[in-house]
Amino acid sequence: MFIDEIPPDWASELDLVALGPTLRDLDAFVAEERRAHEMYPPPGEVFAALCLTPFAAVKAVILGQDPYHGPCKSHGLAFSVPDGVSPLPPSLRTIRAELAADLGLPLPESGSLEGWAQHGVLLLNTVLTVNRGVAGSHRRHGWETFTDAVVAAVSDKSGPVVFLLWGRAAQAKIKLIDQDRHVVLTAPHPAARLAHGFRGSKPFSSANAALKSHSAPTIEWSLADR
């Protein structure tokens, strides 16, 4: 059951009594979809973002839309792919190019962003599962309710947390964020056709500048040697 896969530290911050019916419906829906379709991410990785980034450690949230819908490309972290995936998805290539342009950091061959997740960046999609080859196939089945609760829980932290909202699906959650306590940085989605607006947005240096202005620890954005 999905409710049993949520890490205890996150479970203690979420109202699982209120979320219980949604999670039970999602569990049944996803089980049925897995029987009928190839689905991503694999079982056991749906809540990888919460597993790799403890609630207390969250310094930034990067919100995506739904998982990559190509074979072997999704492992439960927004915009990230497992080691060995090639070629990298267009949106990830755009993010990496902006990281290099913004901070001058070298880029590893791997497209995995696990290093960010392990250093306080919650890589959360607004929808956590998808059918192979069908983007958005699991929208409006309850995931938005669950991820609303996750965003609201992070917003309740004393802060500051930087929320990087890339694209309309992510920006729809801005109403859940206490902007007096936290910092919100918006940009177009880094997908290829929208990349022009994302390029030059300097999200990584802007996030660290915001944290520094609040005397909070900054984020180590380097992905090299991890």
Side-chain angles (χ1 to χ4, degrees):
M1 294 288 291
F2 279 153
I3 202 165
D4 300 320
E5 295 181 29
I6 299 169
D9 62 319
W10 281 97
S12 68
E13 302 295 335
L14 301 170
D15 187 349
L16 293 187
V17 173
L19 287 171
T22 296
L23 288 168
R24 286 191 290 273
D25 288 347
L26 274 167
D27 196 76
F29 167 73
V30 169
E32 183 177 349
E33 290 295 290
R34 284 202 193 277
R35 286 191 291 269
H37 307 280
E38 187 171 346
M39 253 187 57
Y40 311 121
E45 295 185 353
V46 173
F47 297 102
L50 303 185
C51 293
L52 285 177
T53 308
F55 179 82
V58 176
K59 295 189 285 187
V61 179
I62 292 178
L63 278 178
Q65 294 184 5
D66 52 0
Y68 294 127
H69 54 83
C72 304
K73 290 186 177 179
S74 174
H75 61 156
L77 303 177
F79 298 109
S80 180
V81 296
D83 288 337
V85 169
S86 181
L88 301 180
S91 57
L92 180 55
R93 294 200 302 269
T94 299
I95 291 166
R96 285 160 53 92
E98 181 61 20
L99 176 65
D102 186 9
L103 298 179
L105 294 173
L107 299 175
E109 289 186 12
S110 173
S112 174
L113 303 179
E114 285 189 21
W116 289 355
Q118 293 166 348
H119 287 78
V121 182
L122 180 65
L123 297 167
L124 183 71
N125 281 311
T126 58
V127 173
L128 301 190
T129 54
V130 70
N131 288 343
R132 176 175 179 168
V134 189
S137 50
H138 289 192
R139 293 177 189 169
R140 295 181 291 278
H141 286 280
W143 280 127
E144 293 89 347
T145 299
F146 176 75
T147 55
D148 277 359
V150 172
V151 171
V154 175
S155 180
D156 284 342
K157 286 169 66 81
S158 58
V161 173
V162 179
F163 289 82
L164 297 104
L165 309 183
W166 297 343
R168 286 180 294 179
Q171 291 162 19
K173 294 194 186 292
I174 196 168
K175 63 184 182 294
L176 303 168
I177 301 167
D178 183 348
Q179 295 186 66
D180 292 328
R181 188 183 304 175
H182 305 293
V183 177
V184 175
L185 302 175
T186 63
H189 194 277
R193 62 187 177 85
L194 301 174
H196 176 73
F198 184 87
R199 293 189 185 112
S201 61
K202 298 185 180 297
F204 310 105
S205 60
S206 297
N208 276 352
L211 290 168
K212 190 173 182 180
S213 72
H214 287 82
S215 301
T218 57
I219 298 163
E220 175 52 69
W221 290 108
S222 174
L223 292 167
D225 300 321
R226 289 186 179 173

